[in-house]
Amino acid sequence: MADDMIVKREVVMEADAEMLERQQKRGEARGFTVMCDEGGRIGGDNTAPPPMAYFALSIGF
């Protein structure tokens, strides 16, 4: 009986990202804006979390 209840779903995610100055980047998804930057050792200004911090947070969420 469980085989008769196959449900198909489609998940669509859209995001835009753009490079700003130095290592700064801005991303937008679903009306939210997120900024990222790198530390001074690799050419950034440390004005926002680095991309890998967002990746680590996404696993935690």
Side-chain angles (χ1 to χ4, degrees), residues 18-26 35:
E18 66 178 310
M19 293 183 69
L20 303 174
E21 27 186 78
R22 298 178 46 100
Q23 293 291 325
Q24 293 177 347
K25 290 135 189 116
R26 175 177 42 234
M35 301 294 293

Side-chain angles (χ1 to χ4, degrees), residues 22-23 38-46:
R22 298 178 46 100
Q23 293 291 325
E38 296 285 0
R41 294 188 325 191
I42 56 174
D45 295 315
N46 201 35

Side-chain angles (χ1 to χ4, degrees), residues 2-22:
D3 292 335
D4 295 337
M5 299 179 70
I6 296 174
V7 176
K8 294 184 180 183
R9 293 190 173 106
E10 180 178 340
V11 176
V12 177
M13 288 187 265
E14 294 183 25
D16 293 312
E18 66 178 310
M19 293 183 69
L20 303 174
E21 27 186 78
R22 298 178 46 100

